[in-house]
Amino acid sequence: MYDFVDQPVDRLSNGGRFLLWAMRGWSHARAQGACPPVALTKGFAGIDALSALPEFNMVMALLNRDALEQLAIQPMRCARIGEDEAILSGLWRDAALGRTERVEATLALLVEDHAVTAISLAAMATVARLAAAGLDPAGPAYETHKETK
């Protein structure tokens, strides 16, 4: 999480930016009374990852419904990664790296117990489908520890 919090969005990899865009787009659509999957269809189709959209929608819908506290997702054009977005970016990275126990431990702090497994499974399916489409779903990790010369 701390790798991401309050960092510039442009420091994210393509996979990280896509997932951040999708989370923000989902939240924005819902706040506007629109259907989030419909709002995101063009973006997911544009990277040949439309098959990831239903599982992504499930993650977001369950996070929205079963969160212990409402998650704060930044507006679409916000140039920095918010705290809750940082937590979710870490969750996506852990899912992409197959760290199921870490995903579930994070979710246990965020949502009602009954939702942990469903969200974890949907997150794992989402990142697998994004990877199959050629998008690096571990991508929310930009290179913070890289030395410059």
Side-chain angles (χ1 to χ4, degrees):
M1 169 195 146
Y2 294 108
D3 287 344
F4 309 112
V5 73
D6 201 33
Q7 294 297 314
V9 171
D10 65 0
R11 293 200 44 208
L12 295 172
S13 69
N14 288 337
R17 282 191 304 274
F18 181 80
L19 285 167
L20 184 65
W21 166 83
M23 291 186 296
R24 288 178 175 181
W26 192 98
S27 296
H28 177 75
R30 186 178 177 288
Q32 297 300 313
C35 176
V38 170
L40 298 177
T41 296
K42 189 174 182 179
F44 275 78
I47 62 163
D48 294 322
L50 198 53
S51 67
L53 182 54
E55 299 295 341
F56 175 81
N57 182 60
M58 171 99 48
V59 169
M60 295 302 292
L62 291 174
L63 283 169
N64 183 65
R65 184 190 75 186
D66 296 318
L68 299 174
E69 295 180 21
Q70 184 174 359
L71 296 172
I73 304 296
Q74 301 302 315
M76 291 296 288
R77 295 197 182 269
C78 186
R80 300 198 85 67
I81 301 166
E83 185 174 337
D84 289 345
E85 293 172 327
I87 292 167
L88 294 175
S89 292
L91 183 124
W92 290 117
R93 176 181 57 189
D94 287 339
L97 296 173
R99 299 174 179 161
T100 307
E101 290 179 12
R102 286 180 68 167
V103 169
E104 291 178 353
T106 299
L107 288 169
L109 299 172
L110 298 176
V111 298
E112 300 288 339
D113 291 342
H114 66 86
V116 169
T117 300
I119 298 171
S120 177
L121 291 172
M124 296 293 197
T126 299
V127 296
R129 290 184 176 124
L130 290 174
L135 188 65
D136 177 11
Y142 54 83
E143 301 180 51
T144 56
H145 306 292
K146 191 175 198 177
E147 291 183 35
T148 57
K149 295 185 181 192

